[in-house]
Amino acid sequence: MYIYSLIIDNVSRNCYNRVSVKGGAVVQSLIQITDITLCFFIKNIKTMEVLVMKYSERVLEELKKNNPYQPEFIQAATEVLESLSPVVDTDPRYEKAGLLERLVEPERTIMFRIPWVDDNGEVHVNRGYRVQFNSAIGPYKGGLRLHPSVNLSIIKFLGFEQIFKNSLTGLPIGGAKGGSDFDPKGKSDMEIMRFCQAFMNELYKYVGADEDVPAGDIGTGAREVGYLYGQYKKLTNRSEGVLTGKGLSFGGSLARTEATGYGLVYITEELLKDHGKNIQDARIAVSGSGNVAIYAIEKAEQLGAKVISCSDSSGYIIDENGIDVDAVKQIKEVERKRIKEYLNYHPDATYGEGSVWDNVICDVALPCATQNEINKVEAQRLADSGCYAVCEGANMPTNAEATEVFLDRDILFLPGKASNAGGVATSALEMGQNSIRSSWTFDEVDAKLKGIMINIYYHMKEACEQFDAKDNFVAGANIAGFMKVADAMMAQGIV
């Protein structure tokens, strides 16, 4: 405000000096001049604010202005750009190269219609997306989400996060994401097949083993990947590693199904160990009951933890005797029913509607359901009830206010771009196996996965210490992921 006041004073003084004092006329002249001065100042105040902003702040303001109806994307970009300030605002090379402006803008955004026919002969039209965000360090890589909530903002947020997640793995893969607002729930196998084939009829033009390699995500499991791959092969007459998460009989990798959940637990175990705690006998709460949640429960229980919860969009289960992961697999992977069916296997468990985070008490929280599932109130409740670590299994399952609570309360917190990177890491390992026309054993892939997750943890820790942000793994993950991408972008010129 001092700068603004000085500008007003100087302009007013200059105007006053140009006024000839002629009796009462001076008052009217000064009023007119002051009005003009203030109008000029008010119209240009935004310009002056921009001039005193940091580079990262200016890019973020411009991003908000250009994307006013994309809250998920803005939330993700805000978190990243704020944590990158110590890096990009102290090195003028980045601003000169327009690096942040290029980083937050996708290289390519593809939207298309997906017409398909249901079992009754009725025609439906869904919208398909593929956002190819950044290929500086390798071909685009990221999943395909099938869910009614899918829109451009969510796909851009996921694609943007994927840049840093993929970079953290240390493997040569760029960031992308795609999907559709199609809802696979309640659809027959034939309807799922027809939709996937219609989706690939357009998507195949933009993907390839060395260009863009999609994978599964929410709503896209082994069945959907199989249908997508079959249609790609028919359209192109090529058998190549264009998708990951494939079946073992046509190029898939052992341990890919388990990878995201296992990887989450491996990095959680390393985090606890590095802070003098042990995952064995820890009381762990998990949300979700999809692929990530199921295999996080399985691995945590193998390591001696007691997992007491899981959930789906209809409600949650709390089982003080420990979650029976085999029952959850039967309900979700075989019968494809709601989690309430768990009571048929274990009547002593508790079922409730709403959020599990309103009711569970735990040492470690592993949110594995969906974005923004933990809010500020729920975060405060977790902190007050003794939770000492939160590691994200889903993509951005804690909202910005909840994340601040965890950081302010000194709760160990790992962001999803680091802690759920096991899935994409193993997808990259699948790509490697496809390229050499070979396959590795489960133990080989699992060992590589564990090594990658441990390396991610220590890369984050090193970045935290380098930029004086001890145990702020949000900043550490963003900085560590950014540096590799930034070096590649700088080396490749303005493209």
Side-chain angles (χ1 to χ4, degrees):
M1 288 310 297
Y2 171 77
I3 295 173
Y4 302 153
S5 299
L6 186 62
I7 293 171
I8 289 179
D9 289 344
N10 287 341
V11 173
S12 298
R13 188 177 299 111
N14 291 338
C15 291
Y16 177 81
N17 290 338
R18 290 196 296 270
V19 175
S20 299
V21 181
K22 295 182 180 178
V26 70
V27 177
Q28 184 64 33
S29 297
L30 282 174
I31 290 172
Q32 292 173 348
I33 291 167
T34 302
D35 286 344
I36 293 169
T37 301
L38 289 175
C39 287
F40 171 83
F41 174 69
I42 290 167
K43 286 173 65 177
N44 289 279
I45 189 168
K46 287 296 182 184
T47 302
M48 288 184 252
E49 285 177 348
V50 169
L51 291 175
V52 297
M53 280 182 176
K54 296 176 181 177
Y55 173 45
S56 60
E57 293 172 337
R58 293 200 304 275
V59 172
L60 183 57
E61 283 302 306
E62 189 68 16
L63 193 68
K64 290 177 180 177
K65 185 178 75 174
N66 292 338
N67 302 274
Y69 305 114
Q70 298 181 10
E72 295 86 358
F73 174 51
I74 294 300
Q75 179 184 343
T78 299
E79 178 212 282
V80 170
L81 293 185
E82 287 180 350
S83 62
L84 291 181
S85 179
V87 181
V88 298
D89 293 331
T90 57
D91 190 337
R93 293 180 307 138
Y94 295 130
E95 183 173 4
K96 184 177 180 181
L99 190 134
L100 288 185
E101 291 91 338
R102 291 186 285 135
L103 184 67
V104 299
E105 193 67 34
E107 292 177 9
R108 189 179 293 112
T109 299
I110 305 152
M111 291 195 302
F112 49 93
R113 71 184 184 197
I114 308 174
W116 61 280
V117 181
D118 68 18
D119 290 343
N120 297 318
E122 185 177 346
V123 175
H124 300 265
V125 178
N126 288 96
R127 181 173 291 177
Y129 302 89
R130 189 64 177 173
V131 174
Q132 298 173 330
F133 227 111
N134 191 288
S135 60
I137 63 173
Y140 305 109
K141 187 81 190 77
L144 297 172
R145 176 170 294 193
L146 302 181
H147 193 273
S149 67
V150 164
N151 57 40
L152 183 58
S153 176
I154 286 176
I155 297 299
K156 284 179 69 176
F157 130 61
L158 292 168
F160 186 66
E161 289 279 291
Q162 202 77 42
I163 300 170
F164 306 95
K165 179 190 300 186
N166 293 359
S167 174
L168 282 168
T169 68
L171 301 170
I173 42 178
K177 204 73 176 185
S180 172
D181 55 2
F182 171 79
D183 187 358
K185 290 180 181 177
K187 305 295 192 300
S188 71
D189 282 348
M190 292 302 292
E191 287 174 328
I192 296 288
M193 183 186 73
R194 287 193 291 271
F195 170 81
C196 290
Q197 290 173 342
F199 193 177
M200 186 54 76
N201 284 342
E202 183 67 23
L203 186 65
Y204 88 96
K205 303 170 186 176
Y206 310 103
V207 298
D210 296 312
E211 178 182 355
D212 185 350
V213 183
D217 195 83
I218 293 173
T220 307
R223 174 182 59 175
E224 290 77 15
V225 170
Y227 292 148
L228 289 163
Y229 183 76
Q231 187 70 358
Y232 177 85
K233 190 157 62 71
K234 180 177 181 179
L235 291 167
T236 65
N237 200 31
R238 291 199 300 269
S239 294
E240 59 183 18
V242 68
L243 286 152
T244 56
K246 300 185 295 297
L248 294 176
S249 60
F250 57 100
S253 174
L254 290 164
R256 176 59 188 91
T257 302
E258 297 86 352
T260 309
Y262 277 24
L264 169 63
V265 175
Y266 288 145
I267 198 170
T268 301
E269 180 186 30
E270 198 64 29
L271 168 73
L272 297 180
K273 188 188 303 182
D274 193 43
H275 288 82
K277 299 181 184 297
N278 198 326
I279 198 169
Q280 188 173 2
D281 299 324
R283 183 181 171 90
I284 295 181
V286 172
S287 65
S289 52
N291 179 271
V292 181
I294 286 173
Y295 292 100
I297 294 169
E298 181 173 276
K299 178 54 66 175
E301 291 181 342
Q302 288 176 3
L303 295 176
K306 185 177 184 180
V307 182
I308 51 137
S309 71
C310 61
S311 66
D312 63 15
S313 57
S314 64
Y316 61 87
I317 290 289
I318 295 178
D319 189 344
E320 292 294 344
N321 296 317
I323 291 293
D324 179 354
V325 71
D326 290 332
V328 178
K329 286 182 179 181
Q330 178 66 25
I331 294 164
K332 288 298 183 177
E333 295 182 339
V334 180
E335 299 173 5
R336 298 184 186 271
K337 293 182 178 179
R338 311 309 288 166
I339 199 62
K340 188 175 182 179
E341 298 294 319
Y342 186 90
L343 296 178
N344 294 332
Y345 295 83
H346 297 279
D348 293 338
T350 301
Y351 173 78
E353 295 182 351
S355 172
V356 66
W357 305 116
D358 289 328
N359 297 278
V360 74
I361 295 175
C362 61
D363 301 320
V364 178
L366 304 179
C368 299
T370 190
Q371 70 267 9
N372 292 329
E373 61 175 281
I374 299 181
N375 59 34
K376 181 179 180 180
V377 173
E378 291 163 337
Q380 289 171 335
R381 183 192 167 278
L382 282 170
D384 291 341
S385 61
C387 178
Y388 53 73
V390 178
C391 303
E392 295 185 328
N395 291 301
M396 207 167 68
T398 58
N399 69 21
E401 291 180 331
T403 300
E404 285 302 315
V405 170
F406 293 141
L407 296 178
D408 291 344
R409 297 286 293 272
D410 293 327
I411 290 173
L412 299 172
F413 177 75
L414 293 184
K417 63 171 62 72
S419 50
N420 76 9
V424 74
T426 306
S427 281
L429 298 178
E430 181 178 329
M431 291 167 64
Q433 293 170 79
N434 292 163
S435 295
I436 62 174
R437 297 292 193 269
S438 183
S439 59
W440 301 325
T441 67
F442 185 99
D443 289 342
E444 285 178 306
V445 177
D446 191 39
K448 291 177 187 292
L449 168 64
K450 186 171 184 179
I452 288 169
M453 298 310 296
I454 291 173
N455 285 338
I456 288 174
Y457 173 72
Y458 286 105
H459 286 324
M460 284 192 301
K461 181 180 178 181
E462 182 182 348
C464 289
E465 293 172 349
Q466 182 180 352
F467 290 92
D468 195 26
K470 187 176 185 296
D471 285 347
N472 184 343
F473 295 108
V474 174
N478 288 331
I479 292 170
F482 168 79
M483 294 306 297
K484 181 178 179 181
V485 175
D487 289 347
M489 292 177 69
M490 295 292 285
Q492 293 168 22
I494 310 299
V495 293

